[in-house]
């Protein structure tokens, strides 16, 4: 991978981690926040389209087809991820999704797109995925209930009122009685989210290369075409839209800048580097989010999270090494 592509993807990872932390603080707002996020993203970045190559060399039909399919895949991704966070542990769902996505992307890139990563790059991909799995396992809640803090003393089980987390608190897995020894229910949603990530990554790479679209215009088109789809889902909660705008406008502005920026950088990178290499490097965002959870939210098993994060960093260094 060229140094330029490598730096673009690393910058994208930082932007991606930042907007996820911002959106996480507004996770209780759900679909109304996502609706405003798509609208703000489209409006903020539309002004940059004339200065970044316009639509590219594609005709309007090719642009609409590429952005329309991508919008559908992105909405599916967001809904699956949101449901996964509601059903399972944050770290497990996030790491599973972000690990499954690049793995499937690499397989499709090799089998369908004819890309051939060098042996050292394949080793780096494997190490990154191993580290992401480690982060996910470190975030799993112990069997039989929620994690206890250091020095906590067991007490007889008794009914307790369900605590409502404050905005900005780390989400907790849904402790469902009777699931001892069973897989975290969020695991399936994490895997499904990973499939969605692989699908939109491969499709978007195909669209940019075949129709030679401008990454900025493509991202703006995706955000704009997500709105009708999200409107269907948010219609029953339309009375929440204005209150969310009044209380979350600062977060929405940051989201509207950073969310498109993270993917524009990735889309630019895939035009100059193989998607089989770009997809795993962008998952360094898992490391950043994991470290944020360990040090800021004080989530459980910080040492295991940091160790797994170092494994991911090692994989990224292998992937960025000259072949």
């Amino acid at each position: 991978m060229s140094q330029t592509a490598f730096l673009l993807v690393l910058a994208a990872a930082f932007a991606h981690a930042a907007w996820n932390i911002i959106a996480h603080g507004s996770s209780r707002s759900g679909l109304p926040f996502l609706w405003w996020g798509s609208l703000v993203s489209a409006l903020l970045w539309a002004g940059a389209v004339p200065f970044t190559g316009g639509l590219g060399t594609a005709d309007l039909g090719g642009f609409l087809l590429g952005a329309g399919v991508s919008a559908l895949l992105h909405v599916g991704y967001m809904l699956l991820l949101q449901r996964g966070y509601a059903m399972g542990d944050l770290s497990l769902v996030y790491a599973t999704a972000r690990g499954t996505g690049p793995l499937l992307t690499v397989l499709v890139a090799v089998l369908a797109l004819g890309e051939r990563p060098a042996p050292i790059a394949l080793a780096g991909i494997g190490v990154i995925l191993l580290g992401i799995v480690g982060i996910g396992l470190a975030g799993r809640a112990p069997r039989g209930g929620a994690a206890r803090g250091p020095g906590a003393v067991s007490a007889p089980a008794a009914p307790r009122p369900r605590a409502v987390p404050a905005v900005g608190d780390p989400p907790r897995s849904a402790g469902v009685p009777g699931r001892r020894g069973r897989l975290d229910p969020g695991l399936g949603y994490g895997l499904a989210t990973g499939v969605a990530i692989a699908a939109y990554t491969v499709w978007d790479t195909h669209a940019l290369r075949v129709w030679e679209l401008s990454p900025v215009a493509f991202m703006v088109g995706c955000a704009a075409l997500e709105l009708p789809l999200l409107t269907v889902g948010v219609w029953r909660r339309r009375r929440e839209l204005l209150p969310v705008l009044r209380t979350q406008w600062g977060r929405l502005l940051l989201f509207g800048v950073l969310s498109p920026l993270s993917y524009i950088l990735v889309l630019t990178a895939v035009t100059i580097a193989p998607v089989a290499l770009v997809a795993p490097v962008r998952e360094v965002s898992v490391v950043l989010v994991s470290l944020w959870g360990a040090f800021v939210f004080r989530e459980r098993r910080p040492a295991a999270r940091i160790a797994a994060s170092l494994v991911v960093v090692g994989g990224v260094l292998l992937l960025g090494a000259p072949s």
Side-chain angles (χ1 to χ4, degrees):
M1 179 186 293
S2 70
Q3 185 178 13
T4 300
F6 190 69
L7 292 176
L8 283 172
V9 183
L10 283 182
F14 277 89
H16 189 273
W19 77 252
N20 269 274
I21 291 168
I22 292 166
H24 164 252
S26 303
S27 58
R28 288 187 299 167
S29 300
L31 279 173
F33 184 87
L34 294 178
W35 190 91
W36 281 116
S38 293
L39 178 61
V40 172
S41 297
L43 292 177
L44 287 179
W45 284 91
V49 171
F51 307 100
T52 53
L55 299 182
T57 61
D59 57 20
L60 184 60
F63 176 83
L64 291 175
L65 176 60
V69 173
S70 182
L72 183 63
L73 294 173
H74 273 84
V75 168
Y77 151 72
M78 289 188 289
L79 294 178
L80 285 169
L81 188 63
Q82 185 182 55
R83 183 61 176 169
Y85 285 157
M87 294 294 294
D89 182 80
L90 169 67
S91 297
L92 178 64
V93 174
Y94 189 84
T96 302
R98 304 313 303 186
T100 305
L103 175 61
L104 295 175
T105 300
V106 170
L107 292 176
V108 173
V110 171
L111 298 176
L113 302 182
E115 296 183 1
R116 294 293 181 266
I120 191 172
L122 291 174
I125 291 168
V127 172
I128 290 172
L129 295 175
L130 179 64
I132 290 174
V133 170
I135 292 172
L137 292 177
R140 288 195 65 180
R143 291 183 179 182
R148 296 184 176 91
V153 179
S154 299
R160 293 180 297 175
R162 180 174 296 176
V164 178
V167 171
D169 286 348
R172 303 171 184 174
S173 59
V176 182
R179 291 194 180 275
R180 182 181 179 88
R182 295 177 60 181
L183 291 175
D184 188 313
L187 180 62
Y189 285 101
L191 292 172
T193 303
V195 173
I197 291 170
Y200 75 63
T201 301
V202 172
W203 171 259
D204 293 353
T205 301
H206 170 78
L208 261 69
R209 291 178 180 175
V210 171
W211 289 300
E212 298 182 351
L213 305 176
S214 164
V216 174
F218 185 74
M219 191 69 252
V220 170
C222 290
L225 292 174
E226 286 169 9
L227 280 170
L229 300 172
L230 289 171
T231 299
V232 175
V234 82
W235 185 250
R236 292 184 179 180
R237 301 176 59 184
R238 59 189 181 275
R239 293 183 179 178
E240 300 176 36
L241 288 172
L242 286 180
V244 166
L245 178 62
R246 285 195 297 265
T247 59
Q248 307 275 355
W249 65 268
R251 292 178 183 270
L252 285 166
L253 283 176
L254 289 173
F255 179 92
V257 172
L258 293 172
S259 177
L261 175 63
S262 67
Y263 203 50
I264 286 169
L265 292 171
V266 168
L267 292 176
T268 303
V270 299
T271 62
I272 58 177
V275 67
L277 302 185
V278 170
V281 174
R282 67 182 296 218
E283 304 314 323
V284 76
S285 62
V286 176
V287 178
L288 302 174
V289 171
S290 177
L291 292 176
W292 183 274
F295 289 107
V296 179
F297 290 151
R298 300 186 183 279
E299 293 178 343
R300 54 186 172 268
R301 301 170 186 161
R305 292 173 186 272
I306 293 170
S309 297
L310 291 175
V311 172
V312 174
V313 172
V316 170
L317 292 176
L318 284 175
L319 206 56
S323 54

